[in-house]
């Protein structure tokens, strides 16, 4: 690439414009200043930029682009980004807004120039996954060696550079938060060059990679959480903008949100999310870091409702907090963890606030942070992190610095008493003491707090161990071990906090999707989250770029892939419902009068044959269906495990408030499959039964619950 000009030549000219714009009092004055600036630039022929190198890899286009061919006659916005960077992610909505307002035919082309920070980010397949994950539809060039970055003397991510129709430098914007000025520069440039008839309306050939992909059951799952008491998993199905709750045998109990993004609260069948990441499940409650909505959400499975606990629906810049959750702006929450602080157990939700490089606290009940006054339930406030992007450890939590914290694991037991943090951009795992907020290094990085490039793939102790952009951590209390999703090294590692020794557990170090004979012969592709189950014997891993949930059995050192009871064509489908055997008992109940919006609570009592007990390892379960009237169950639970018959099973079905036309009276059908064995061992058997409840639904919506008692003796 022959050197032509760089941003240093533009800076003294644009700095005068920026100063004048800061002091302008109205929009017309601002536009006039930009017009004057552009006319001045038109007289300067020394601001032509170098073209893209030949042989670079391009995405979302039919072929390479050039300023002398496809981009000639266009106003071009170059977005210099690296896909790990939260600030780069933050400006994507600004670019999407521009693309909606101005088409290629209007004369605007946006080109992402991917200039990698980490070695893993230079790989085309990984860039391609990021383009899909962030729904980038404009052209992207993989400038793995950052040649254009260096030619133009770009200094940081993100940087936007606007280019005129002759390949001439116009403006640059460094960092995030420039939506208004970006729109001003772009709109005025299009009008200016349009008036001069220098714009061309030719199209630029596009070929979106996403259009060639087959459907998948999961799409870029970000995090996974386990509720061991109920033997259920909650999965952030990030690419499908939904949350799944699945049983221990892989049956989908709930599918909430998706496939399109949104931020709607309400019933489970109408609530929406936007690229959810962090997730916690406890009993019938799921807490969600709704990352790209900049919200913390709560899913109440028992009530069938989704609500917003914190955030205002757009990116905030506040680095202190202290307001009630729904009034407190927050920024890209990436993970959540339950904890206790000066109150009853689990009175707080810790939040990895990646967007402001901090750890925040959302009080679910009254409580108190170390060395602070008491906070009321609903308060959302910073706990640790100055807001500066640093790898700074400090005894005072507000003086410590994080760099895009992306994973949390609570270890409240003594002698640990801390919150572990996967600090992705510093490639470290840190500890945050619950008693006083002190932040310390566990493994990775280096001692210079400003060096965010101390990454690698090295087993070792403390600072001698090296990670590459870890996104997840999971605590195994029974073993006193911390597991780490070392995402860009495509490995799972384990850390002993007593010795600070970090060792690989699984993964080859190369991106792949291989189930090998052993854990270190098996492969991942940027695993983003993990959790510990079965008393520390099992790891569930969100293998993000492979679109899988994988299971590591730490006792047998084996590796498997979790399969779900889903049908491929429907990304919001419910669990597959098996066919009842001919021997199954079938009970039809008398019609039940109900109203739209009411909850029909089916209470089922089952009795096993005398001398038998439930088979522990066999998947006894129930399903709820409404054949021909599937709208009745929407995205509610349609299946669940049967683990204990000493208490009645309580299965709620929330009727929609808006009815659909139907020729016959609709019915709910509850079916059960029970596996039992003789108490003394020997013979085992399967028993099945179904209960059909016809409904007479009135026209006036009402609240409340109608309970139906069901009983059957096998």
């Amino acid at each position: 690439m022959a050197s032509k000009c760089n941003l240093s030549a533009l800076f003294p000219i644009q700095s005068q414009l920026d100063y004048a714009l800061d002091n302008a009092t109205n929009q017309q004055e601002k536009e006039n200043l930009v017009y004057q600036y552009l006319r001045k630039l038109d007289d300067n022929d020394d601001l032509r930029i170098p073209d893209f190198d030949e042989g670079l890899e391009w995405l979302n286009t039919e072929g390479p682009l050039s300023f002398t061919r496809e981009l000639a006659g266009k106003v071009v916005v170059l977005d210099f980004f690296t896909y790990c960077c939260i600030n780069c992610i933050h400006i994507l909505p600004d670019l999407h807004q521009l693309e909606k307002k101005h088409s290629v035919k209007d004369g605007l082309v946006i080109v992402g120039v991917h200039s990698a920070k980490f070695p893993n980010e230079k790989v085309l397949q990984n860039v391609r996954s990021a383009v899909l994950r962030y729904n980038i539809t404009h052209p992207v060039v993989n400038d793995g060696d950052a040649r254009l970055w260096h030619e133009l003397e770009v200094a940081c991510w993100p940087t936007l550079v606007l280019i005129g129709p002759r390949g001439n430098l116009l403006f640059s914007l460094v960092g995030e938060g420039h939506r208004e000025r970006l729109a001003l520069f772009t709109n005025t440039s299009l009008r200016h060059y349009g008036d001069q008839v220098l714009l061309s309306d030719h199209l630029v050939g596009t070929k979106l990679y996403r259009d060639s992909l087959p459907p998948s059951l999961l799409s870029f799952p970000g995090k996974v959480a386990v509720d061991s008491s109920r033997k259920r998993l909650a999965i952030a199905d990030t690419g499908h903008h939904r949350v799944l709750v699945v049983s221990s045998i892989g049956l989908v109990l709930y599918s909430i949100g998706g496939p399109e993004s949104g931020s709607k609260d309400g019933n489970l069948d109408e609530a929406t999310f936007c690229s959810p990441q962090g997730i916690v499940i406890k009993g019938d409650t799921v807490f969600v870091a709704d990352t790209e909505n900049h919200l913390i959400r709560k899913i109440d499975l028992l009530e069938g409702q989704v609500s917003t606990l914190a955030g205002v629906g757009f990116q905030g810049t506040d680095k202190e907090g202290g307001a009630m959750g729904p009034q407190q702006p927050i920024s890209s929450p990436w993970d959540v963890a339950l904890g206790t602080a000066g109150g009853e157990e689990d009175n707080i939700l810790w939040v990895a606030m990646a967007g402001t490089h901090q750890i925040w606290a959302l009080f679910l009940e009254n409580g108190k942070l170390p060395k602070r006054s008491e906070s009321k339930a609903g308060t959302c406030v910073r706990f640790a992190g100055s807001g500066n992007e640093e790898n700074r450890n400090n005894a005072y939590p507000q003086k410590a610095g994080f760099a895009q914290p992306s994973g949390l694991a609570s270890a409240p037991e003594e002698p640990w008493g801390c919150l572990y943090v996967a600090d992705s951009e510093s490639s470290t795992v840190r500890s945050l003491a619950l008693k006083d907020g002190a932040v310390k290094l566990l493994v990775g990085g280096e001692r210079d707090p400003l060096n965010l490039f101390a990454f690698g793939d090295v087993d070792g102790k403390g600072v001698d161990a090296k990670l590459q952009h870890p996104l997840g951590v999971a605590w195994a209390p029974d073993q006193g071990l911390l597991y780490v999703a070392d995402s860009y090294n495509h490995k799972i590692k384990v850390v002993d906090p007593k010795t600070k020794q970090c060792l690989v557990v699984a993964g080859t170090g190369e991106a792949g999707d291989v189930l090998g004979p052993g854990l270190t012969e098996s492969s991942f592709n940027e695993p983003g989250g993990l959790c510990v189950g079965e008393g520390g014997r099992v790891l569930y891993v969100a293998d993000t770029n492979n679109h899988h949930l994988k299971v590591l059995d730490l006792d047998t050192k084996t590796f498997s892939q979790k399969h779900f009871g889903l049908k491929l064509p429907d990304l919001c489908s419910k669990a597959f419902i098996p066919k009842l055997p001919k021997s199954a008992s079938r009970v039809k109940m008398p019609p039940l009068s109900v109203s739209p919006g009411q909850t029909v609570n089916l209470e089922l009592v089952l009795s096993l044959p005398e001398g038998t007990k439930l088979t522990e390892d066999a998947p006894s379960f129930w399903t709820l269906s409404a054949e021909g009237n599937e709208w009745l169950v929407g995205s509610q639970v349609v299946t669940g495990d049967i683990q204990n018959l000493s208490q009645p099973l309580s299965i709620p079905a929330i009727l929609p408030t808006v009815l659909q036309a139907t020729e016959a009276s609709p019915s709910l059908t509850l079916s059960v499959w029970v596996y039992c064995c003789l108490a003394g061992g020997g013979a085992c058997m399967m028993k099945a039964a179904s209960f059909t409840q016809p409904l007479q639904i009135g026209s006036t919506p009402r609240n409340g619950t109608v309970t139906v008692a069901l009983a059957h003796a096998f």
Side-chain angles (χ1 to χ4, degrees):
M1 222 188 253
S3 180
K4 295 190 176 182
C5 76
N6 53 47
L7 298 183
S8 298
L10 184 68
F11 177 76
I13 309 172
Q14 187 180 331
S15 60
Q16 298 175 30
L17 171 66
D18 291 334
Y19 178 80
L21 289 173
D22 289 339
N23 291 281
T25 58
N26 58 64
Q27 186 66 20
Q28 188 59 57
E29 184 181 356
K30 292 178 181 179
E31 291 178 3
N32 290 338
L33 287 169
V34 177
Y35 277 125
Q36 295 171 21
Y37 170 85
L38 288 171
R39 285 193 289 269
K40 182 178 180 181
L41 287 188
D42 288 342
D43 296 331
N44 190 338
D45 290 329
D46 297 329
L47 293 177
R48 299 283 184 92
I49 74 162
D51 211 338
F52 299 103
D53 273 357
E54 293 185 4
L56 293 179
E57 301 159 320
W58 287 81
L59 297 170
N60 290 339
T61 68
E62 293 176 348
L65 304 183
S66 167
F67 289 111
T68 61
R69 300 189 309 270
E70 296 83 3
L71 301 178
K74 302 292 187 184
V75 171
V76 180
V77 177
L78 298 179
D79 172 22
F80 287 89
F81 77 109
T82 185
Y83 71 77
C84 70
C85 168
I86 192 66
N87 311 93
C88 300
I89 296 170
H90 284 164
I91 69 168
L92 289 175
D94 301 349
L95 300 179
H96 291 327
Q97 188 178 69
L98 270 188
E99 290 173 304
K100 286 182 179 179
K101 185 173 182 180
H102 304 292
S103 67
V104 174
K105 198 171 180 64
D106 295 333
L108 177 68
V109 178
I110 297 174
V111 177
V113 185
H114 191 266
S115 310
K117 170 184 176 180
F118 293 99
N120 182 68
E121 294 178 310
K122 296 182 179 183
V123 180
L124 178 64
Q125 183 58 45
N126 298 338
V127 180
R128 183 181 283 124
S129 293
V131 166
L132 289 171
R133 193 160 61 242
Y134 300 131
N135 194 31
I136 298 173
T137 57
H138 52 253
V140 172
V141 60
N142 182 23
D143 190 8
D145 294 326
R147 294 289 297 277
L148 189 57
W149 167 290
H150 293 303
E151 287 278 357
L152 292 181
E153 296 184 2
V154 176
C156 71
W157 300 279
T159 293
L160 299 176
V161 179
L162 275 73
I163 310 298
R166 297 178 290 115
N168 50 311
L169 272 176
L170 300 180
F171 310 95
S172 72
L173 294 165
V174 178
E176 59 175 292
H178 302 296
R179 175 177 288 194
E180 291 185 5
R181 194 151 291 188
L182 174 63
L184 172 66
F185 288 168
T186 305
N187 298 341
T188 309
S189 297
L190 288 170
R191 286 196 298 268
H192 174 72
Y193 291 112
D195 291 344
Q196 296 185 38
V197 199
L198 291 176
L199 295 181
S200 170
D201 64 358
H202 70 270
L203 297 177
V204 174
T206 59
K207 184 179 180 181
L208 298 185
Y209 175 64
R210 70 181 185 188
D211 293 341
S212 63
L213 293 176
S216 60
L217 297 176
L218 298 175
S219 176
F220 300 106
K223 305 286 184 184
V224 58
V226 64
D227 179 5
S228 297
S229 64
R230 302 283 189 91
K231 295 188 177 181
R232 298 191 295 188
L233 292 171
I235 304 166
D237 190 9
T238 309
H240 288 147
H241 307 292
R242 66 175 178 173
V243 171
L244 297 179
V245 178
V246 305
S247 73
S248 59
I249 60 171
L251 292 173
V252 175
L253 308 178
Y254 298 84
S255 174
I256 307 129
E260 302 301 324
S261 63
S263 58
K264 187 176 182 181
D265 286 339
N267 293 333
L268 301 188
D269 58 351
E270 61 186 16
T272 52
F273 300 87
C274 187
S275 298
Q277 286 281 346
I279 196 162
V280 171
I281 180 170
K282 182 181 180 182
D284 290 310
T285 303
V286 183
F287 297 101
V288 183
D290 194 6
T291 304
E292 293 193 17
N293 276 327
H294 309 285
L295 299 173
I296 302 297
R297 315 284 291 283
K298 175 185 175 182
I299 303 172
D300 188 323
L301 300 176
L302 197 60
E303 296 294 330
Q305 292 288 312
V306 175
S307 58
T308 295
L309 298 183
V312 294
F314 55 83
Q315 183 192 348
T317 57
D318 184 2
K319 296 181 180 180
E320 295 292 336
M324 289 291 106
Q327 286 78 50
Q328 177 61 59
I330 60 177
S331 180
S332 296
W334 209 272
D335 202 7
V336 287
L338 281 169
T340 304
E344 61 185 65
E345 184 179 358
D346 291 341
N347 68 330
I348 203 165
L349 190 69
W350 303 115
V351 183
M353 207 69 76
T356 55
H357 313 291
Q358 296 171 313
I359 307 301
W360 282 47
L362 173 60
F363 284 88
L364 305 175
E365 302 292 342
N366 292 351
K368 184 176 179 295
L369 292 175
K371 303 176 183 177
R372 305 270 194 96
S373 57
E374 183 168 307
S375 294
K376 298 295 184 183
T379 305
C380 188
V381 64
R382 171 185 67 157
F383 178 30
S386 64
N388 298 324
E389 189 173 8
E390 298 175 329
N391 176 24
R392 188 178 298 278
N393 301 300
N394 201 290
Y396 298 94
Q398 289 80 20
K399 293 184 178 181
F402 294 94
Q404 205 171 308
S406 302
L408 297 176
S410 182
E413 310 88 359
E414 292 298 335
W416 323 113
C418 70
L419 192 66
Y420 289 112
V421 181
D423 198 38
S424 61
E425 281 293 277
S426 67
S427 295
T428 64
V429 175
R430 325 270 284 283
S431 67
L432 173 55
L434 298 176
K435 66 178 181 180
D436 58 12
V439 177
K440 298 178 181 179
L441 173 72
L442 185 62
V443 293
E446 72 150 56
R447 293 179 176 84
D448 179 357
L450 300 181
N451 184 1
L452 302 182
F453 288 80
F455 52 80
D457 183 10
V458 180
D459 287 354
K461 184 177 179 180
V463 75
D464 294 327
K466 290 293 178 281
L467 309 170
Q468 187 182 178
H469 200 76
L471 289 173
V473 282
W475 177 242
D478 293 342
Q479 293 76 24
L481 297 174
L482 184 73
Y483 291 92
V484 181
D486 191 5
S487 306
Y488 283 9
N489 283 325
H490 316 289
K491 289 181 176 181
I492 305 302
K493 295 182 178 179
V494 64
V495 180
D496 183 344
K498 287 184 178 178
T499 63
K500 294 190 176 182
Q501 188 72 36
C502 178
L503 300 171
V504 64
V505 172
T508 63
E510 299 291 332
D513 192 15
V514 176
L515 299 179
L519 297 183
T520 54
E521 290 81 40
S522 302
S523 55
F524 303 92
N525 193 339
E526 293 189 14
L530 72 173
C531 65
V532 175
E534 303 294 331
R537 298 188 300 274
V538 171
L539 280 181
Y540 298 99
V541 180
D543 193 7
T544 304
N545 284 359
N546 281 326
H547 316 292
H548 294 322
L549 182 67
K550 289 180 176 171
V551 185
L552 280 63
D553 189 315
L554 299 175
D555 283 347
T556 63
K557 309 297 183 186
T558 56
F559 191 106
S560 62
Q561 184 173 308
K562 195 76 172 173
H563 296 281
F564 305 105
L566 285 171
K567 298 178 182 178
L568 259 176
D570 182 1
L571 296 180
C572 284
S573 66
K574 308 303 174 294
F576 172 72
I577 299 175
K579 189 176 181 180
L580 279 170
K582 291 182 179 180
S583 61
S585 299
R586 290 168 170 82
V587 179
K588 186 169 183 179
M589 304 294 291
L592 179 69
S593 296
V594 292
S595 299
Q598 284 189 318
T599 297
V600 178
N601 188 44
L602 303 174
E603 284 208 348
L604 175 62
V605 176
L606 295 174
S607 301
L608 295 178
E610 186 176 350
T612 66
K613 63 177 183 178
L614 283 178
T615 307
E616 291 184 5
D617 297 328
S620 297
F621 62 99
W622 58 263
T623 66
L624 183 66
S625 61
E627 187 174 353
N629 292 283
E630 285 75 11
W631 54 273
L632 271 176
V633 292
S635 66
Q636 300 173 47
V637 61
V638 294
T639 185
D641 292 345
I642 299 175
Q643 299 174 353
N644 183 4
L645 296 182
S646 63
Q647 299 291 330
L649 294 171
S650 183
I651 301 156
I654 304 169
L655 301 180
T657 54
V658 179
L659 303 181
Q660 295 187 15
T662 178
E663 295 181 2
S665 297
S667 297
L668 293 172
T669 299
L670 177 64
S671 302
V672 294
W673 285 258
V674 175
Y675 294 83
C676 56
C677 294
L678 293 175
C684 294
M685 63 202 83
M686 187 274 286
K687 300 289 186 179
S690 74
F691 305 84
T692 299
Q693 177 61 70
L695 301 177
Q696 294 177 343
I697 306 178
S699 57
T700 304
R702 288 193 179 93
N703 296 322
T705 299
V706 179
T707 299
V708 178
L710 305 172
H712 183 71
F714 290 111

